[in-house]
Amino acid sequence: MAQQVKILDGGMGRELARIGAPFRQPEWSALALYEAPERVREVHDSYIAAGAETITTNSYAVVPFHIGDERFAADGARLAALAGRLAREAADAANSPVRVAGSLPPALGSYRPDLFNEQQAQAIHRVLVAAQAPFVDFWLGETTSSIAEAESIHAVLAGQPQPLWLSFTLQDEPELYDAVSTLRSGESVGAAVTRAIELGVENVLFNCSHPEVMSSAVKQAAAVREQLGVEIGIGVYANAFDHGSNSGGANEGLSDLRKDTHPEGYLNWAQEWVAAGATLVGGCCGIGPEHIGRLAAELK
């Protein structure tokens, strides 16, 4: 099983902050595209050197929620294209094959399925798709909080030749750690994975949630995969947010990072996910190149 595991990259925003790149709310990782794009390339290179076989474009914060409506209208396409080009150049310079994932983030706010509006979200995503299309190997709809958001992303990509990966974010309050994992919308993982398979995705993943809720989601996804008799990858890239530190909602201040998601601790969780059926493993917010290097050394 270990030989089948593919290694993804880790979080972009916190790594930019760690290496001293321009970084703050509300712009988050988009600020480096404005002021220091060479630092974005530096992060991509670090993940590739650590063993990542896939890197994700730094377009997560290239949305009005982070940079504002006026700046998105003026700069959104340019910044998204720059994010795509930086990732493509890093991948092409690698000594071994590296795929580029085109990030399609929550258009109207992370963790907020209640704010979703299909028309508004699709208008934003069309800009990101058109700008990044020349550079990416596949699309990654990430931190998806509801089935409706996933369906919207799929609709925007109609006619695009690249495959789609869908990654869902999960309810992760500590009191739910021992419960059956659900999307932040309250919808079941089973229903989300079933719908993703119906939409023809290449892989289904779970991201930007605490490590404790991932194994349950992987097991549910694996059960759906077996029940439907399909070949589909299952992935995990958890965050390192401290318990309750983002209770006010994503994008509100800078959440504290927990101490037990050091590389060895994160590897222990990753081994649980692989045992449950995960075939792709990486990291989200607060998981850096040192974590990815540990995963690559043990799981590839």
Side-chain angles (χ1 to χ4, degrees):
M1 178 178 294
Q3 292 180 345
Q4 300 173 1
V5 176
K6 299 296 184 182
I7 304 300
L8 312 177
D9 61 0
M12 173 61 74
R14 293 302 185 124
E15 185 60 14
L16 285 168
R18 190 187 71 81
I19 66 174
F23 180 78
R24 64 170 181 262
Q25 290 281 34
E27 293 95 340
W28 197 254
S29 55
L31 187 63
L33 292 172
Y34 275 109
E35 298 182 6
E38 71 280 0
R39 306 314 294 271
V40 175
R41 171 64 191 272
E42 181 180 338
V43 173
H44 287 317
D45 290 340
S46 295
Y47 282 123
I48 292 171
E53 298 163 279
T54 292
I55 58 173
T56 304
T57 60
N58 182 34
S59 55
Y60 192 93
V62 184
V63 292
F65 189 87
H66 282 284
I67 65 174
D69 291 324
E70 290 186 7
R71 283 203 291 177
F72 182 78
D75 303 327
R78 178 182 66 82
L79 294 178
L82 176 58
R85 179 173 60 79
L86 290 167
R88 182 78 267 159
E89 290 175 351
D92 289 347
N95 294 324
S96 58
V98 174
R99 300 180 76 191
V100 174
S103 175
L104 297 178
L108 303 172
S110 299
Y111 303 171
R112 294 298 303 272
D114 57 308
L115 297 180
F116 175 69
N117 176 286
E118 181 179 77
Q119 185 176 4
Q120 294 175 11
Q122 290 186 352
I124 293 166
H125 281 149
R126 287 192 188 98
V127 173
L128 301 185
V129 168
Q132 296 184 92
F135 306 105
V136 306
D137 296 303
F138 63 92
W139 300 103
L140 176 59
E142 54 181 342
T143 323
T144 309
S145 291
S146 69
I147 294 174
E149 290 181 40
E151 292 173 333
S152 176
I153 289 171
H154 178 265
V156 167
L157 293 172
Q160 290 292 326
Q162 302 96 330
L164 170 62
W165 296 14
L166 279 174
S167 190
F168 296 96
T169 183
L170 308 170
Q171 294 183 343
D172 62 356
E173 295 81 359
E175 61 268 22
L176 299 177
Y177 284 172
D178 296 324
V180 175
S181 296
T182 60
L183 306 193
R184 294 193 187 271
S185 62
E187 296 166 300
S188 74
V189 167
V193 173
T194 298
R195 185 61 180 134
I197 290 172
E198 291 172 348
L199 295 174
V201 304
E202 185 173 86
N203 296 301
V204 62
L205 305 92
F206 306 99
N207 81 294
C208 210
S209 310
H210 292 166
E212 288 88 347
V213 299
M214 296 302 197
S215 289
S216 170
V218 171
K219 291 175 183 177
Q220 293 176 73
V224 171
R225 179 177 61 185
E226 181 177 356
Q227 178 184 3
L228 298 180
V230 297
E231 293 292 331
I232 187 172
I234 300 172
V236 177
Y237 54 115
N239 65 33
F241 287 150
D242 196 8
H243 304 289
S245 67
N246 58 346
S247 59
N251 317 112
E252 295 183 12
L254 295 179
S255 299
D256 296 330
L257 299 181
R258 54 197 288 181
K259 305 299 184 184
D260 58 352
T261 48
H262 48 75
E264 196 66 30
Y266 193 76
L267 171 64
N268 291 336
W269 272 306
Q271 290 171 325
E272 290 184 13
W273 307 331
V274 171
T279 57
L280 308 105
V281 180
C284 203
C285 307
I287 303 301
E290 66 279 10
H291 298 80
I292 301 306
R294 194 73 185 92
L295 297 180
E298 293 295 326
L299 299 179
K300 282 178 71 170

